[in-house]
Amino acid sequence: MHASPPPFRRNPALEAQLIEAMGKDSKPMAGPAARSACLPPDADGRVTTTNIGNGFELVLDCWVVSVVPQGDVRRAFAMFQPPVIMPVGSSSNPIYLFVLLASSALLSILVTRFITLPLRRLSDAATAFAASLDAPAADAHGPTEVKAALSTFNIMQARVRAGLRDRTQLLAAISHDLQTPLTRLRLRLENVEDETLRDRLVADVNATQVLVRQGLELARSQETTEPWSVVDIDSLVESLAEDAAEFGADVRFTAGCGSSVKVRPTGLARALNNLIDNGVKYGERVEISCQIEKDQILIRVRDHGPGLSDPDINRLFEPFIRGGAATTSAYRGTGIGLTIARALLEGSGASVRLLNHPTGGLVAEVSLPRR
């Protein structure tokens, strides 16, 4: 205890606490001072430290408190206080922040995936239905709103199938009912004495029969129950080229890709046959090749005809649209062969487009996903 305090640095926060505890009349002054104010230096001039064992020494801070207790003279006290070291806040630790952010991100991803899982099922079901009318129904599980949406989608899918099935059955009935009168009409035309008129009338009846059959084929191509199978593309395409060559067409298989793919074999063969027939009809000589590009198998059917202008190419897959040489009287057709081919290919999850070859002729490019 000292009558007069040694030099120290006043600490307003500590002094405020002392005033609250002892009152303003005590006129407190307090703050840290040099350690020599608490312990005198040794013979070597060093301030003594406290040995806490095992060779460790604790260096204490010296604090001075000076007060005037109850009107008495000012008294000063010097005391040791261990240094107060505040722990480093975990919120400012980079490792803690990284772990917190990583955990939050992982939790957000898991929650998002859990919430959006039913929506992904709906998206997958819509994609499958767009590729094939006989795609399975969506699994109607999840939150109430999403479950209602999935159930509604399944109802819509069933009604679309039923509508297409009814349309196909209607066209089949019409085709069947028209065949009989058309056949009778053709037989009766044989009795027409004017040979020129008879030939024209018979040709019109034949064209009508072809149109009826192809209209029915177009309807059936958009609704198929053929099972999926894995086929060797090279073998399939080569056999189609050989079949066409046996009937006198100049068709050659020029390059293979050595790959197998899951398709509807009959539908794919019918579609490629339509493309080959178009090539032979309008380009005489046809070359078929297959190659792999990234995750796609490309089958190209190239003819050596006059080709088409770009606007014609963009519209040629529409029903009853014919372009270029197909519009002349030398080429008889209904204009739905390519439409049927596209519908059959879409039933196998494939797509088709027409391109003008740089050296002449037209290329029908079929793209099949590798799966």
Side-chain angles (χ1 to χ4, degrees), residues 19-308:
I19 290 175
E20 184 177 355
M22 302 177 65
K24 291 184 179 181
D25 294 338
S26 63
K27 301 177 182 179
M29 294 185 297
R35 281 194 293 271
S36 59
C38 292
L39 282 178
D42 58 15
D44 297 328
R46 296 178 301 178
V47 177
T48 305
T49 58
T50 303
N51 191 328
I52 60 176
N54 295 326
F56 293 97
E57 293 182 341
L58 177 64
V59 179
L60 303 176
D61 289 340
C62 181
W63 287 74
V64 173
V65 177
S66 173
V67 295
V68 180
Q70 299 180 352
D72 199 355
V73 296
R74 179 172 292 278
R75 303 289 183 178
F77 304 87
M79 64 190 74
F80 279 120
Q81 174 69 28
V84 179
I85 302 175
M86 297 297 294
V88 179
S90 58
S91 60
S92 62
N93 190 325
I95 298 178
Y96 171 81
L97 292 176
F98 174 78
V99 173
L100 178 63
L101 291 175
S103 302
S104 301
L106 180 60
L107 181 60
S108 300
I109 292 173
L110 293 176
V111 171
T112 302
R113 288 182 64 86
F114 176 77
I115 293 175
T116 60
L117 180 60
L119 296 178
R120 288 200 301 274
R121 286 205 307 269
L122 177 60
S123 175
D124 293 341
T127 302
F129 185 54
S132 174
L133 291 175
D134 61 344
D139 185 13
H141 290 89
T144 304
E145 295 79 4
V146 177
K147 184 178 179 180
L150 290 168
S151 300
T152 303
F153 175 82
N154 289 336
I155 294 173
M156 178 205 69
Q157 188 176 20
R159 289 181 177 176
V160 169
R161 283 202 199 97
L164 291 174
R165 184 168 54 252
D166 292 344
R167 185 193 67 175
T168 303
Q169 292 174 351
L170 176 63
L171 288 175
I174 293 173
S175 176
H176 179 269
D177 292 342
L178 286 176
Q179 290 296 331
T180 301
L182 287 173
T183 302
R184 286 200 305 264
L185 180 59
R186 180 174 179 177
L187 291 175
R188 290 172 181 173
L189 288 176
E190 297 296 332
N191 297 323
V192 176
E193 296 181 358
D194 189 332
E195 185 177 349
T196 303
L197 177 60
R198 183 177 66 243
D199 291 342
R200 289 179 179 176
L201 293 174
V202 171
D204 289 340
V205 172
N206 290 340
T208 303
Q209 289 179 317
V210 170
L211 184 60
V212 170
R213 285 195 300 269
Q214 289 200 347
L216 178 60
E217 185 180 358
L218 175 60
R220 286 175 173 169
S221 68
Q222 296 176 340
E223 181 190 8
T224 177
T225 57
E226 180 189 0
W228 294 77
S229 301
V230 177
V231 300
D232 183 273
I233 291 296
D234 292 349
S235 298
L236 175 64
V237 175
E238 188 173 13
S239 65
L240 295 177
E242 291 175 352
D243 291 344
E246 286 182 3
F247 286 94
D250 189 357
V251 180
R252 292 181 299 155
F253 178 58
T254 58
C257 55
S259 182
S260 298
V261 67
K262 188 176 182 180
V263 295
R264 290 188 166 99
T266 303
L268 178 60
R270 287 173 57 196
L272 292 177
N273 265 328
N274 278 8
L275 297 178
I276 292 171
D277 290 343
N278 270 12
V280 171
K281 186 184 297 182
Y282 304 121
E284 298 182 357
R285 182 160 53 95
V286 173
E287 298 168 353
I288 311 174
S289 62
C290 176
Q291 71 179 76
I292 297 176
E293 289 187 5
K294 297 181 180 179
D295 58 345
Q296 299 290 314
I297 296 176
L298 301 181
I299 304 173
R300 294 188 175 95
V301 180
R302 184 208 169 181
D303 65 43
H304 290 266
L308 291 170

